[in-house]
Amino acid sequence: MTGETGVDRDLWRSLTTDFEMASLAVPESCGGAGVGWAVSRALLEDLGGSLACVPALSVIGLALPALVASGDTQAIGDLVPGILAGTTIATAALLGADPVSACRVRAVLLGDAWELTGEVPYVLDGEVVDLVLVLAGHDDGLALFAVDPRSGGATLSPRPTSDLTRRVSSLSLASTTARLVGGPDSGADIVGASRPAALFALGCEQTGGAAAALADAVAYAGQRVQFGRPIGSFQAVKHKLADVLVAVEECRSATWAAAAALDSGAPDAELTSYATAAVCGAAYVKASSDNVQVHGGIGYTWEHSAHLHVKRSRGSAALLGTPAEHRHTIARLLPHLTDDLTPLSDGHTPQSTQGAHR
């Protein structure tokens, strides 16, 4: 995290070439392994627990799902192989709760070439990315474009954040040449189709971070002695850690459900992913905060690693929308799901064909 770019390129190269991590959830038709999100879940959770400085969320959670959702076979064929091989680091500037409404970039078609002008306030791993997928509005709608952030007219500027394990930059575009990905008015549809994967990937990282914070707190509670007893024997500490354990198990249940929904193409995958995001975001914040409380004075110092999870948890809790915003989306989605409830023959509580009661 103290390096020039904030990314461990050697580790990322190993993850993409030796473990083929980026290809796991990419369909075989798009050049990936096609083994599903359930497998990616375990790796993403480990990366979140170790606070690994790699662009996993950018590539696996943002860029690749957006490219696959675009259905643009030409763009997929040209761009995806390099991303899967680790030679191209890509991200999608689709952060915040509603990236469609937040779009501030305009596109103009000049002959056969598109040019983008505007500001993208937040780009993950901006100091190392080779490709950024950007939403831009134009006279005929909203579209997704692939941009080389180091091409003419593009300027990346690092933004100061408290979380040094995940760098963020802003991107300024001034008549920058871009490549259309998908249809000229498919931007909103691509965001909607790829959003569940992004929320799931972030939720897995948050689950890993919460579990790591809990393990750290439990270990310290068993070692630190106060009044002649390990502090873990005190009721106040035991109850605090038990509450965090419940929160971590809720995260694991949520990510398992989301992985199953995404891999099976279940109609409630979107709802499940938002529920996962709401649960995991809040749980990670709680676990990291309580870890500091259990450690006491040493937990507040820079020398101890507890602060790293505190900072990562709070940044992650707002990265794709806050838990409160996710719950608002869930409330909006639920009425549509109830339209597809199938009543039982005896007239009792209906069963949902979309797993709304999961």
Side-chain angles (χ1 to χ4, degrees):
M1 72 175 185
T2 58
E4 182 179 352
T5 64
V7 169
D8 187 337
R9 288 182 176 271
D10 291 336
L11 176 58
W12 181 242
R13 190 177 301 109
S14 176
L15 290 171
T16 52
T17 57
D18 299 336
F19 292 91
E20 299 185 5
M21 182 177 179
S23 72
L24 294 177
V26 177
E28 291 182 274
S29 60
C30 298
V35 296
W37 288 104
V39 179
S40 298
R41 170 188 172 275
L43 289 170
L44 289 167
E45 189 171 317
D46 281 346
L47 291 179
S50 63
L51 296 174
C53 297
V54 293
L57 182 62
S58 288
V59 173
I60 299 171
L62 293 170
L64 286 172
L67 286 170
V68 171
S70 73
D72 188 331
T73 55
Q74 187 64 48
I76 292 172
D78 292 343
L79 302 177
V80 169
I83 298 174
L84 299 184
T87 57
T88 299
I89 297 178
T91 190
L94 303 176
L95 304 182
D98 187 0
V100 172
S101 298
C103 176
R104 296 295 181 267
V105 179
R106 293 293 299 174
V108 177
L109 180 61
L110 300 176
D112 295 329
W114 287 93
E115 291 187 354
L116 306 187
T117 300
E119 299 291 330
V120 181
Y122 304 107
V123 177
L124 278 188
D125 304 304
E127 295 179 53
V128 296
V129 292
D130 308 300
L131 177 71
V132 182
L133 300 177
V134 177
L135 280 177
H138 54 93
D139 292 340
D140 297 320
L142 183 74
L144 187 70
F145 295 88
V147 177
D148 179 352
R150 292 168 184 79
S151 61
T155 304
L156 279 167
S157 302
R159 297 181 66 101
T161 63
S162 62
D163 182 12
L164 297 179
T165 66
R166 174 171 280 159
R167 304 288 181 87
V168 179
S169 301
S170 61
L171 176 62
S172 176
L173 302 170
S175 300
T176 303
T177 302
R179 173 177 182 165
L180 177 66
V181 177
D185 191 26
S186 63
D189 291 336
I190 293 174
V191 171
S194 62
R195 197 66 168 181
L199 293 170
F200 167 76
L202 180 59
C204 290
E205 284 194 353
Q206 291 168 322
T207 299
L214 173 61
D216 196 17
V218 170
Y220 186 77
Q223 298 168 359
R224 178 72 167 92
V225 175
Q226 186 69 30
F227 304 113
R229 297 167 56 187
I231 63 172
S233 66
F234 297 139
Q235 191 176 56
V237 176
K238 286 192 290 188
H239 286 185
K240 184 183 292 292
L241 295 178
D243 288 342
V244 175
L245 174 61
V246 171
V248 171
E249 291 304 317
E250 288 175 346
C251 291
R252 287 182 172 142
S253 296
T255 55
W256 269 114
L262 288 169
D263 287 340
S264 65
D268 67 341
E270 182 181 18
L271 174 68
T272 307
S273 68
Y274 275 100
T276 297
V279 168
C280 295
Y284 191 15
V285 169
K286 174 178 176 56
S288 62
S289 298
D290 286 354
N291 183 34
V292 172
Q293 292 292 323
V294 170
H295 276 79
I298 187 63
Y300 287 86
T301 65
W302 180 269
E303 288 76 13
H304 198 278
S305 62
H307 71 97
L308 297 178
H309 281 294
V310 170
K311 295 169 182 176
R312 170 67 76 90
S313 68
R314 280 152 179 75
S316 296
L319 201 60
L320 299 177
T322 65
E325 289 171 321
H326 296 324
R327 289 193 292 271
H328 179 77
T329 302
I330 291 169
R332 176 175 56 81
L333 292 172
L334 280 174
H336 299 286
L337 287 177
T338 55
D339 293 339
D340 295 319
L341 292 176
T342 304
L344 298 177
S345 58
D346 60 4
H348 288 95
T349 303
Q351 291 179 330
S352 171
T353 58
Q354 298 183 341
H357 298 297
R358 180 176 296 150

